[in-house]
């Protein structure tokens, strides 16, 4: 798998605050929040906003993009053939560390045209889809077990007209028909600590495989480990049922997590809401019990500083969000799918709704929320965090990022990607590409753990926190020094404490996500629990991503 250098963009503090505040709906800029003592306990602290920052000098905030590693691999080393981690799908590790993936597998089939009124003349809906399952030991090479549950293509042959390929036959000797059509890791991403409720999932059955097929069964469950439906005949009996629970009425198989006493999900707002506002936006649904849902509320509109020219009309296509940090001081990080739509030709419209435009490419930016997804602000201005491929036939011309999987000191982002434009058919029904259809697959990008934003000092710099209280006796840094990092622990009036000054600190010169800080005096921090204290980080040619008391 070929590597690609990470894209990094430096942002000064004033620009960061101004641009971050520009897209908040229903909340003031974070810079205006009154300073007070922050109780951070022993939770990890990142620097994506100024929630914990009093002042900085000589440093710049820097956005770090993940390193693209290319398409996943089939078990024999070939590039991943087809299938993408989309709404409701997941890549995760079970309690033993093995990788599991549910993904959307689909193929074109013009015969579905008359199976449902919602399909009709819009050829973009002439396909079949189902949930497939694969597993892996290394997270890169994937084995597809034969499930024998659903008829699917046993191969494809080339033809000269749409859809440019057709199944060579149908059989059940495949990995299709996974009964779990929605699953999320609540412990990793949903702000739920209970190990008995690690996974939230839905087991469902549909009447057919076309996109508007009727739902016949739907049951929601919790699970403490990966539900091994492929190998354990009694897997269903080991799950904890959630009577009468449902997904949101949006129709997308998404639940973001639990916060402030309610479940919520964020995704593309319903078409009936955004179509009259000039383009796609992000909405939010909420529920106290996974049974009764309210919404959608518009929580992320496209602001005025985005391009709105016919050749580049920005829409917010979708957003996948997950919890970063702990339950007390953490936040929700949104992977915003930004759609650069092309409106220069009426052929780029949806044939059954001329207010919907389909041509364009997507990229991913970062957003964050500290109020359970009710308001969002930018992370790193409008910098692209996960870009699309620059070549016309590149494997990820469209990118849809999903929640990460922790692997050692890294976060692995498995993302859905397409090797072509979002436009599949012109409004008159002809194909946009004259000799092929775009294919959806799954790719991997890798980021340092919690390495989204760092304070960077090219020479000397200082980062000072607001007064805070903490739990624990030790301080560890997520840092990458070319020179060193020193830390001073000060009282609430900003005076260094005895034995814990900058000059007392042993320079941190090791690159790592949890590097301990020590002082020559041998002083410990246990007596300072309950504080308040301030921290001053002295950077000498170093990058500081975050810190934690432990």
């Amino acid at each position: 798998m070929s590597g690609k250098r990470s894209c990094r963009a430096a942002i000064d503090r004033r620009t960061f605050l101004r641009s971050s505040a520009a897209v908040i709906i229903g909340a003031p800029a974070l810079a205006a929040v009154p300073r007070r003592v922050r109780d951070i306990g022993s939770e990890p602290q990142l620097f994506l906003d100024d929630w914990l920052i009093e002042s900085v000098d000589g440093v710049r905030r820097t956005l770090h993009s993940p390193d693209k590693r290319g398409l996943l691999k089939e078990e024999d080393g070939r590039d991943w053939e087809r299938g993408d981690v989309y709404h409701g799908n997941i890549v995760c590790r079970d309690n033993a560390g093995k990788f599991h993936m549910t993904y959307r597998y689909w193929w074109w089939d013009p015969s579905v045209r008359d199976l449902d009124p919602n399909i009709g003349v819009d050829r973009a809906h002439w396909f079949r889809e189902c949930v497939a399952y694969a597993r892996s030991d290394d997270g890169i090479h994937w084995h597809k077990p034969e499930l024998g549950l659903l008829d699917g293509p046993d191969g494809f042959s080339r033809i000269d007209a749409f859809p440019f390929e057709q199944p060579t036959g149908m059989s059940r000797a495949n990995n299709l028909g996974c009964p779990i059509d929605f699953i999320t890791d609540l412990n990793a991403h949903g702000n739920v600590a209970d190990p008995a409720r690690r996974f939230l999932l839905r087991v469902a059955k549909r009447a057919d495989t076309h996109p508007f097929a009727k739902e016949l069964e739907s049951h929601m469950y919790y699970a403490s480990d990966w539900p091994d439906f492929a190998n354990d005949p009694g897997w269903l009996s080991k799950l904890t049922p959630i009577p009468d629970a449902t997904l949101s009425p949006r129709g997308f198989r998404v639940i973001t997590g639990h916060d402030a006493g309610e479940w919520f999900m964020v995704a593309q707002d319903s078409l009936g809401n955004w179509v009259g506002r000039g383009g796609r936006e992000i909405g939010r649904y909420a529920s106290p019990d996974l049974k009764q849902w309210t919404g959608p509320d518009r929580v992320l509109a496209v602001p005025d500083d985005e391009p709105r020219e016919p050749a580049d009309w920005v829409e917010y296509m979708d957003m996948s969000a997950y919890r970063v940090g702990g339950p007390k001081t953490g936040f929700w990080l949104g992977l915003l799918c930004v759609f650069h739509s092309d409106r220069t030709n009426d052929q780029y419209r949806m044939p059954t709704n001329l207010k919907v435009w389909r041509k364009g490419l997507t990229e991913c930016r970062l957003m964050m929320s500290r109020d359970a997804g009710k308001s969002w602000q930018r992370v790193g201005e409008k910098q692209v965090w996960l870009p699309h491929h620059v070549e016309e036939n590149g494997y990820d011309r469209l990118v849809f990022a999903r929640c990460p999987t922790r692997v050692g000191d890294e976060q692995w982002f498995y993302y859905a990607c397409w090797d072509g434009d979002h436009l599949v058919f012109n409004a008159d029904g002809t194909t946009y590409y004259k000799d092929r259809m775009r294919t959806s697959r799954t790719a991997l990008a890798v980021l340092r753990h919690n390495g989204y934003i760092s304070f960077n000092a090219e020479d000397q710099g200082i980062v000072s926190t607001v007064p805070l209280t903490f739990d624990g006796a030790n301080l560890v840094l997520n840092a990458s020094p070319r020179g060193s990092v020193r830390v001073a622990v000060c009282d609430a009036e900003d005076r260094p404490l005895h034995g814990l000054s900058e000059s007392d600190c042993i320079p941190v010169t090791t690159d790592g996500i949890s590097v301990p800080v020590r002082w020559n005096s041998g002083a410990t921090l246990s007596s300072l629990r309950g504080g308040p204290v301030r921290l001053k980080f002295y950077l000498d040619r170093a990058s500081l991503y975050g810190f934690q008391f432990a």
Side-chain angles (χ1 to χ4, degrees):
M1 304 175 77
S2 60
K4 184 176 179 179
R5 291 189 63 188
S6 174
C7 172
R8 295 175 174 84
I11 311 150
D12 65 75
R13 182 172 182 268
R14 180 176 297 176
T15 302
F16 179 87
L17 292 173
R18 182 176 63 249
S19 63
S20 295
V23 294
I24 294 180
I25 295 178
L30 290 184
V33 175
R35 295 303 185 207
R36 61 179 184 272
V37 176
R38 302 288 194 188
D39 180 10
I40 65 172
S42 58
E43 297 181 354
Q45 303 301 312
L46 282 66
F47 301 130
L48 276 67
D49 63 2
D50 269 12
W51 185 79
L52 202 60
I53 302 303
E54 180 67 42
S55 65
V56 298
D57 182 32
V59 300
R60 294 173 69 87
R61 268 193 174 97
T62 300
L63 175 71
H64 299 271
S65 290
D67 292 324
K68 288 187 177 182
R69 302 291 175 86
L71 293 169
L72 299 186
K73 299 296 183 181
E74 301 284 340
E75 192 171 26
D76 61 7
R78 292 175 295 118
D79 281 345
W80 188 252
E81 291 182 336
R82 69 173 64 205
D84 55 272
V85 284
Y86 200 54
H87 288 136
N89 303 141
I90 192 175
V91 178
C92 68
R93 305 180 77 178
D94 62 25
N95 293 347
K98 301 293 185 180
F99 291 82
H100 302 269
M101 173 168 58
T102 63
Y103 63 97
R104 181 178 65 163
Y105 184 92
W106 65 302
W107 65 99
W108 295 102
D109 183 359
S111 71
V112 305
R113 170 178 177 169
D114 299 322
L115 297 183
D116 188 279
N118 292 297
I119 300 176
V121 299
D122 188 356
R123 293 190 174 195
H125 295 148
W126 290 8
F127 65 87
R128 294 186 179 275
E129 64 178 350
C130 59
V131 181
Y133 167 71
R135 59 175 179 258
S136 173
D137 290 330
D138 62 7
I140 298 173
H141 301 84
W142 291 84
H143 169 68
K144 300 174 179 177
E146 185 175 311
L147 301 178
L149 297 175
L150 184 72
D151 287 325
D154 55 15
F156 294 90
S157 60
R158 171 78 182 181
I159 57 177
D160 293 332
F162 167 74
F164 302 108
E165 64 177 14
Q166 62 184 8
T168 55
M170 302 289 285
S171 79
R172 293 199 171 194
N174 56 51
N175 65 327
L176 310 182
C178 171
I180 302 168
D181 75 341
F182 158 79
I183 183 168
T184 186
D185 188 337
L186 293 176
N187 289 179
H189 304 132
N191 200 34
V192 174
D194 182 358
R197 298 193 299 164
R198 179 185 171 186
F199 291 104
L200 174 65
L201 63 136
R202 184 174 83 157
V203 176
K205 182 181 293 186
R206 300 168 66 206
D208 204 334
T209 55
H210 66 74
F212 296 96
K214 181 180 179 181
E215 190 176 278
L216 301 177
E217 294 182 21
S218 173
H219 305 283
M220 302 279 287
Y221 300 89
Y222 292 119
S224 60
D225 198 357
W226 174 259
D228 192 10
F229 71 93
N231 298 299
D232 182 1
W235 69 278
L236 201 57
S237 66
K238 298 177 181 178
L239 307 181
T240 302
I242 313 173
D244 303 320
T246 67
L247 296 175
S248 82
R250 175 61 180 93
F252 290 158
R253 298 190 299 273
V254 175
I255 292 177
T256 302
H258 191 270
D259 196 5
E262 66 180 6
W263 298 93
F264 75 99
M265 65 84 77
V266 290
Q268 183 189 121
D269 202 350
S270 60
L271 185 148
N273 289 339
W274 61 255
V275 72
R277 298 196 291 253
R280 299 163 177 87
E281 298 175 330
I282 305 302
R284 178 184 186 272
Y285 288 85
S287 171
D289 54 9
L290 294 176
K291 300 174 185 179
Q292 301 296 320
W293 290 86
T294 59
D297 297 317
R298 181 170 59 151
V299 295
L300 187 52
V302 179
D304 293 338
D305 65 349
E306 294 283 14
R308 284 294 172 106
E309 299 295 331
D312 184 16
W313 190 287
V314 163
E315 305 179 43
Y316 290 168
M317 175 79 77
D318 197 10
M319 187 164 69
S320 178
Y322 57 97
R323 188 72 172 188
V324 174
K328 181 164 57 176
T329 64
F331 54 88
W332 298 92
L333 188 66
L335 307 180
L336 178 65
C337 180
V338 178
F339 180 46
H340 291 269
S341 66
D342 182 342
R343 303 185 174 195
T344 59
N345 190 322
D346 283 344
Q347 285 292 331
Y348 303 157
R349 298 176 186 265
M350 181 179 181
T352 55
N353 190 329
L354 298 180
K355 293 183 178 181
V356 178
W357 295 83
R358 283 177 163 170
K359 179 171 170 48
L361 303 175
T362 66
E363 65 193 21
C364 179
R365 302 184 199 159
L366 297 186
M367 308 292 295
M368 67 176 294
S369 171
R370 287 192 179 272
D371 60 359
K374 296 175 184 177
S375 63
W376 295 85
Q377 71 171 51
R378 289 173 177 149
V379 175
E381 304 182 64
K382 293 187 288 184
Q383 298 287 338
V384 178
W385 183 72
L386 185 64
H388 61 71
H389 207 289
V390 296
E391 297 179 6
E392 179 66 24
N393 295 327
Y395 68 88
D396 60 350
R397 292 288 276 171
L398 300 175
V399 296
F400 289 78
R402 297 299 170 208
C403 303
T405 301
R406 177 76 180 269
V407 181
D409 289 351
E410 298 175 330
Q411 289 169 284
W412 288 19
F413 290 85
Y414 295 88
Y415 64 98
C417 59
W418 282 256
D419 60 357
D421 196 277
H422 185 263
L423 181 68
V424 181
F425 297 94
N426 295 312
D428 63 8
T430 59
T431 57
Y432 175 66
Y433 294 109
K434 303 309 178 186
D435 60 351
R436 71 180 182 97
M437 305 300 288
R438 58 172 167 80
T439 300
S440 67
R441 291 183 284 184
T442 300
L444 174 64
V446 175
L447 185 72
R448 177 193 190 99
H449 179 60
N450 283 340
Y452 307 99
I453 287 278
S454 67
F455 279 122
N456 280 17
E458 295 301 321
D459 189 12
Q460 310 291 318
I462 303 174
V463 177
S464 301
T465 72
V466 299
L468 56 87
T469 59
F470 67 91
D471 296 327
N474 301 294
L475 176 65
V476 296
L477 305 182
N478 186 345
S480 179
R482 301 180 305 284
S484 66
V485 180
R486 290 180 171 88
V487 184
V489 182
C490 305
D491 63 19
E493 304 305 318
D494 219 18
R495 295 169 298 205
L497 297 175
H498 179 69
L500 295 171
S501 68
E502 175 198 4
S503 60
D504 292 316
C505 184
I506 300 172
V508 173
T509 58
T510 301
D511 187 325
I513 66 168
S514 186
V515 183
V517 180
R518 297 185 175 89
W519 290 266
N520 285 312
S521 62
T524 65
L525 305 179
S526 56
S527 63
L528 302 177
R529 284 180 291 192
V533 299
R534 294 175 184 261
L535 299 180
K536 282 186 175 294
F537 301 94
Y538 294 85
L539 279 60
D540 176 10
R541 294 165 293 129
S543 299
L544 180 64
Y545 297 87
F547 68 92
Q548 184 174 8
F549 288 96

